[in-house]
Amino acid sequence: MIDSYKHKGMRRRLVKILMEKGIRDKAVLNAVEKVPRHYFFDNALLAHAYQDKAFPIGEGQTISQPFTVAYQTEKLVISPGDKVLEVGTGSGYQACVLLEIGAKVYTIEYNKVLYHRTRKFLPTMGYQPHFFQGDGSKGLPRHAPFDKIIVTAGAPSIPASLVQQLKPGGIMIIPVGDHKRQKMLRLTKVTDKKIKRETFEYFSFVPLLGEEGWK
Ligand code: SAM
């Protein structure tokens, strides 16, 4: 795996595109500039690695579009040391961005093939989140509570277990809607009984499966 000047230049161009699309958080932009996204692609597909596009990673799943990754990460307002649950490990790219910002990342993937592939691959790039396999719509009760939760698949409704596993003051970002499109929601657990809810743009994610997802 080689990260050349050419690749770094391609990443700087990608960061410029994200800034033009409205991403402002310096830590997020720096993280995108650092993570070698082309490592997730076959050599023949290099041209795709730094386009602002989602891309198939097998098993009917995708590596998220860089804008979507940056958008969700920015909305989480991560501080270094935050304990973050990611639901939907997929390729692991989002987890790398979170790690670059200094988060402690707990990431869970439903699909066993992807889980094994990503768990093996990410450490070869020098990234080491805590990996789990299972139904992330129910969160990770044994490791809760979390400062932040990011759901990277489209949910039919807000999973109650995930809200429960947020610390007071914690933030969750989750796309909620039907199979076609989902509205990005940000929930802030102001106190155990009070949840602040903000709604943002529409996105199109693969479905969140599982008990508190699309069954
Ligand atoms: N974050 C990923 C990345 O950076 O490449 C992209 C995630 S992809 C858009 C959505 C992922 O969510 C898929 O890998 C899918 O298998 C996974 N998924 C769907 N339902 C899930 C569930 N209940 N628990 C955990 N993962 C789930």
Side-chain angles (χ1 to χ4, degrees):
M1 294 194 290
I2 295 163
D3 191 27
S4 67
Y5 282 115
K6 180 180 159 194
H7 299 124
K8 290 184 173 109
M10 289 168 98
R11 281 208 291 288
R12 274 197 296 277
R13 275 204 296 281
L14 175 61
V15 165
K16 257 187 94 185
I17 291 169
L18 298 183
M19 287 170 74
E20 281 161 16
K21 291 187 176 178
I23 304 296
R24 289 282 169 268
D25 187 318
K26 286 237 166 61
V28 174
L29 294 167
N30 283 341
V32 171
E33 194 167 335
K34 279 200 183 136
V35 180
R37 193 168 188 263
H38 63 284
Y39 288 180
F40 294 86
F41 291 69
D42 283 343
N43 264 348
L45 300 171
L46 176 65
H48 296 273
Y50 294 113
Q51 288 176 0
D52 187 26
K53 277 194 199 154
F55 204 80
I57 54 170
E59 297 295 306
Q61 303 299 339
T62 51
I63 177 170
S64 296
Q65 183 180 346
F67 174 72
T68 309
V69 170
Y71 185 95
Q72 284 196 287
T73 311
E74 183 171 68
K75 291 272 183 281
L76 278 180
V77 206
I78 306 248
S79 303
D82 271 359
K83 187 174 166 189
V84 180
L85 171 64
E86 180 195 21
V87 178
T89 312
S91 68
Y93 176 68
Q94 171 76 70
C96 296
V97 169
L98 292 167
L99 287 164
E100 280 290 356
I101 298 175
K104 283 185 234 142
V105 181
Y106 293 69
T107 183
I108 179 164
E109 172 56 51
Y110 211 19
N111 181 296
K112 286 189 179 151
V113 176
L114 287 181
Y115 160 76
H116 285 294
R117 193 202 290 169
T118 302
R119 188 187 172 177
K120 213 166 137 194
F121 175 61
L122 244 52
T124 67
M125 290 176 68
Y127 292 108
Q128 189 65 79
H130 302 280
F131 290 102
F132 300 86
Q133 193 276 320
D135 178 5
S137 74
K138 296 187 290 184
L140 266 179
R142 279 205 287 153
H143 296 272
F146 299 96
D147 296 296
K148 309 282 160 65
I149 297 180
I150 174 169
V151 181
T152 68
S157 56
I158 298 162
S161 301
L162 296 183
V163 178
Q164 209 178 2
Q165 289 169 38
L166 267 183
K167 282 185 193 172
I171 299 176
M172 168 156 71
I173 186 96
I174 178 168
V176 176
D178 56 26
H179 280 291
K180 251 194 177 159
R181 58 179 203 163
Q182 306 88 30
K183 206 152 215 183
M184 196 63 81
L185 304 188
R186 177 164 66 182
L187 305 179
T188 306
K189 195 171 193 174
V190 183
T191 65
D192 266 331
K193 289 197 181 115
K194 193 171 169 212
I195 308 288
K196 178 179 155 198
R197 179 185 168 133
E198 296 163 279
T199 53
F200 300 100
E201 284 86 350
Y202 280 104
F203 287 82
S204 185
F205 282 82
V206 296
L208 178 75
L209 305 175
E211 234 170 81
E212 297 187 44
W214 295 96
K215 293 191 181 78

